[in-house]
Amino acid sequence: MTGTAALVATAGTASLTSCAPKKTEQAEKPGVPALEPVEEDVYPGSCRSFCNGGCSLNLHVRDGKLVRTSMREMDDPVYNRICQKGYTHPYRVYSAERLTAPLKRTGERGSGSWEQISWDEAIAEIAEKWKAIADEYGPGAMAAAGLTGNFGGVGGNGTSSIYARFKKATGVSTLANAVDAATKYVCSRMMGASFFNTANEPKDLANAKTIFIWGANPAVSQMQIMHFITEAHQNGANVVTIDPLYNANAALSDKYVPIRSATDGALALGMMNIVLQQGWEDVDFITNHTVAPFLVKPDTHKFLRLSDLGKAEAGSDADVPVVMDAEGNFNTPDSIAQPVIEGTVDLDGQTLTTAYSLLRDRIAEWPASRASEATGIPEADIEELARLYACETPSTIHTCFGADHYYNGHWNYSCMVALALLTGNVGVSGAGIGVCNAAGTNALNMKAVTDVPSPVEKAKSIQALRLEDAIVNHTYNDEPCELRGMYVAYVNPVANVADRTKTIEAFKALDLLVVTDMTMSETAEYADYVLPCCHWFECEDIMSTMVMHSCLVYQAPALEPLGESKPDFEIIKLLADALGYGEHFQFTTKEWIEMLLDTDDARSMNLSYEALKEKGTLKRIPTKDKPYVFAEGGVFPTPTKRAAFYLEDPKASNDYKPDWDFEKEYLPYWEEALEVGVNSPAREKFPLQLISEHSRFRTHVQWYDVEALLEVDAEQYVYIGPEDAASYGIATGDKVKVHNDRGYLIAHALIRPNNPPGILSAVKGWTASQSIDGHLSNLGTVQSNGFCANQPFNDCAVAIEKA
Ligand SMILES: Nc1nc2c(c(=O)[nH]1)N[C@H]1C(S)=C(S)[C@@H](COP(=O)(O)OP(=O)(O)OC[C@H]3O[C@@H](n4cnc5c(=O)[nH]c(N)nc54)[C@H](O)[C@@H]3O)O[C@H]1N2
Ligand SMILES: Nc1nc2c(c(=O)[nH]1)N[C@H]1C(S)=C(S)[C@@H](COP(=O)(O)OP(=O)(O)OC[C@H]3O[C@@H](n4cnc5c(=O)[nH]c(N)nc54)[C@H](O)[C@@H]3O)O[C@H]1N2
Ligand SMILES: [Mo]
């Protein structure tokens, strides 16, 4: 916050006076003539970019206009940060692309013909059509979509927002985006928490001796984390980057390990093989904090439980898995201090095996030589990686979605998580695997958010991977399905769902498509009605989830809504009212925040609306100043409180039943990716892989309209390594066409030594109108894993030619 800021009593409008604006003065520098003091109000704001940085900003407002943003001091100053995206918000707020009035389609879908209508007309017409669809086909024939646009906890797509309440009240289906889903799925089933909750707080990286940047690009995609890694490195931590592309993290690492794409699971299995050979496993952790001593019944694959011994009712809470002592007695884990973790036991004519022995058998299938063959990493390097990770501890795996965006994503991550468990690198300071969200605490009154009646017993979820089925063919999982209309906010499926041509066809077939956005997104182009929402700084909100640090961040309504734009919070209330649910939506944003903070947890951390508004950020960490550690002491948020490298009852997250193969799910498992695997048939016609990179200058499409950033990042390139460039006769600056059976992208080529032979890459987030021709999202497949629904963006085989 600006150092000498004095409180002033006035601000632009009555509604703004309560925001504790600050007046700032230009600091005098020796030798520089003093400038006229500048009158400006400084409001607290929150960047809501889905880099999950959740940075706190000062919004400098003069005469009601945002003139600049600056870093705002956080309640925990180690998270004081701002990036080029945070600095360029004024360009977004006043972008020529901003929508300023509701629009109604007048021509064919996607023809770009619109007429401006009033809010009253728009809401009344939408409600009428919505109700007609719900009356004819049921409330679930309308779906709500939302993703990264704004995770605000009041008016955004945050789980604590009014949007969550609206979905429940209307009984709409949810469009399941199936992005970044393999990691979430693996972490939930193995460690009891979603991927965004299984890492320690970022500042705890200072306590790591070894950091593997494995399938992540923190230099670009987790800027709130990167400096902790560089600081740890300067303080002596080993930093290793495992990535098929040589990126900025690789450049600062002690060791860069170029891995063949989507073979991370094989690497983790090979490393575990070495760990076991060398005796580097953490026996105490395995015994006491994992399912290692549980006994697996061969017929059902389930653990032996008290009910099998006649000591509890099957399925009751008391029916816990049992373990065995050295004398062969069975009892609950609490009653046996040193359970047997290896071997078999005969019981009632069956041979039961400990979960740990089953894991060891699986690992034994993966000697370093096999892992080396699969990954392209020399055996000696795999051995060194195993030693570093298991011996130079605590070790953190900083991972994100590099190995997730493949058909085999969840297999890659199940092996990586098993490696962390085998070596005891979870649940202690300096260790962990995953990404941190809100320092492990929610503290919000989530029950109140959805405490509203719903017209459906259970809302349906429709995978974005099956839009064509659900909308065009009216079938989903071989059953009749009516998906007739969609309300799209905070997301842009036409730009981001794989196989874009199919997405467009599906959206064209909808009876009603309503898009609420700040700008005419590529999805809005196909809408019947486009509703203009405010920029984040034009409405009151909080960032409560999807932030990596440990603070709750306040967003003051610093600016008047541009044109006729309205806050999403108000738009949802208008829609709810017109649809007949208005009585459940009688809140102001202040009341909503107060409702969220009405919990004992929030009170115990002194989180109140007034304090939040005054300070802008409030630390909300149950462990006070000590960094939050996930599953501290090895206590996992699973039913058994243990982590599971063996799953007795694996549940598919993919609801397309025919492909379920349980044999691949009980234990860590790995097989090749779908299109970019070595023997994939797709490779015959399309020999190259295309990796999507995330942009340093955008999050997905957001910031696409910022002139200042377009000056330094003027166009989307296809990156190609020197070897491939030579063999295809391509030079930097050539127009190239990257294509496969699904579509193409035409862009200029840029030869970059970072790309090894066989791998092209391109930055995602460029709109169709910013591309020479085609679109990156034309190229990806919606063919997803038989067990885990996930969009495999990088599992993408292509060919390249000069255009
Ligand atoms: N080819 C390819 N495709 C990919 C990926 C890839 O690697 N390659 N990555 C995928 C991943 S990881 C993700 S998470 C998705 C992201 O996909 P999306 O979440 O669809 O990303 P955006 O296109 O940025 O869409 C966000 C939209 O929300 C709007 N928005 C911003 N703020 C607000 C607000 O306050 N209110 C409302 N109503 N709208 C707002 C923005 O203007 C924008 O149009 O993309 C996926 N798509
Ligand atoms: N600036 C910015 N930040 C963002 C986003 C953004 O668009 N811009 N998007 C946000 C979102 S929604 C997401 S999902 C996250 C994504 O966060 P990250 O997953 O960190 O995303 P990327 O920057 O694509 O980095 C992934 C890295 O994995 C590598 N990789 C690709 N394939 C493999 C593989 O098979 N194995 C291994 N080991 N590595 C592989 C890539 O080369 C790349 O270096 O970033 C978030 N943060
Ligand atoms: Mo993502």
Side-chain angles (χ1 to χ4, degrees), residues 99 101-105 109 114 119 122-123 126 130 142-146 163 485-494 507 510 512-533 568 571 575:
L99 295 165
L103 298 174
K104 179 182 177 179
R105 173 169 72 87
R109 277 249 161 86
W114 304 97
W119 272 101
I123 296 292
I126 291 166
W130 188 314
M142 284 296 299
Y163 194 42
M486 217 182 285
Y487 179 74
V488 172
Y490 329 102
V491 64
N492 183 6
V494 167
F507 275 36
L510 284 170
L512 175 64
L513 177 59
V514 181
V515 176
T516 297
D517 208 306
M518 279 180 225
T519 60
M520 183 62 78
S521 72
E522 287 167 82
T523 307
E525 285 173 22
Y526 295 91
D528 301 298
Y529 296 90
V530 183
L531 303 178
C533 68
D568 285 272
I571 297 172
L575 282 171

Side-chain angles (χ1 to χ4, degrees), residues 49-52 85 148 180 214-218 220-223 242-245 247 249 259-264 400-403 405-406 412 689 691-700 764 794:
S49 155
F50 192 52
C51 59
N52 289 19
K85 289 184 267 104
T148 69
D180 311 333
W214 192 346
N217 192 0
V220 166
S221 300
Q222 299 92 41
M223 294 192 200
I242 304 172
D243 201 300
L245 298 178
N247 55 22
N249 316 292
I259 187 170
R260 198 164 67 70
S261 297
T263 64
D264 304 83
C400 225
F401 305 111
H405 290 180
Y406 293 89
N412 286 323
Q689 178 188 9
I691 286 183
S692 297
E693 298 187 26
H694 287 227
S695 169
R696 182 180 292 283
F697 304 99
R698 304 176 176 202
T699 52
H700 306 293
K764 72 157 305 220
N794 291 336

Side-chain angles (χ1 to χ4, degrees), residues 126-149:
I126 291 166
E128 191 190 325
K129 290 178 182 167
W130 188 314
K131 280 196 271 192
I133 289 173
D135 287 348
E136 186 167 355
Y137 305 105
M142 284 296 299
L147 190 57
T148 69

Side-chain angles (χ1 to χ4, degrees), residues 335-359:
S335 322
I336 295 181
Q338 282 301 322
V340 171
I341 59 168
E342 276 189 71
T344 58
V345 62
D346 290 336
L347 185 73
D348 300 336
Q350 285 198 85
T351 301
L352 281 60
T353 311
T354 65
Y356 187 49
S357 285
L358 294 175
L359 175 69

Side-chain angles (χ1 to χ4, degrees), residues 190 214 264-281 356 359-360 362-364 366-368 371 382 385-386 389-390 411-423 645 667-669:
M190 293 179 77
W214 192 346
D264 304 83
L267 172 60
L269 283 161
M271 286 169 67
M272 285 194 273
N273 188 290
I274 291 159
V275 166
L276 289 183
Q277 263 181 45
Q278 300 293 334
W280 290 335
E281 68 276 19
Y356 187 49
L359 175 69
R360 292 184 69 107
R362 169 55 48 84
I363 293 169
W366 283 91
I382 299 178
L385 290 176
Y389 185 70
W411 293 321
N412 286 323
Y413 278 97
S414 61
C415 301
M416 289 161 67
V417 171
L419 170 68
L421 298 175
L422 186 70
T423 53
F645 49 70
L667 285 162
Y669 169 85

Side-chain angles (χ1 to χ4, degrees), residues 372-433:
S372 173
E373 202 175 309
T375 59
I377 303 170
E379 270 183 60
D381 285 353
I382 299 178
E383 283 163 16
E384 175 58 7
L385 290 176
R387 188 197 66 78
L388 271 175
Y389 185 70
C391 304
E392 307 253 334
T393 57
S395 298
T396 296
I397 296 178
H398 173 73
T399 182
C400 225
F401 305 111
D404 166 297
H405 290 180
Y406 293 89
Y407 184 85
N408 65 354
H410 82 290
W411 293 321
N412 286 323
Y413 278 97
S414 61
C415 301
M416 289 161 67
V417 171
L419 170 68
L421 298 175
L422 186 70
T423 53
N425 274 313
V426 186
V428 288
S429 180
I433 174 167

Side-chain angles (χ1 to χ4, degrees), residues 16-32:
L16 299 182
T17 41
S18 58
C19 301
K22 309 277 189 293
K23 184 159 81 177
T24 61
E25 285 168 14
Q26 300 272 357
E28 255 180 66
K29 287 193 189 132
V32 178

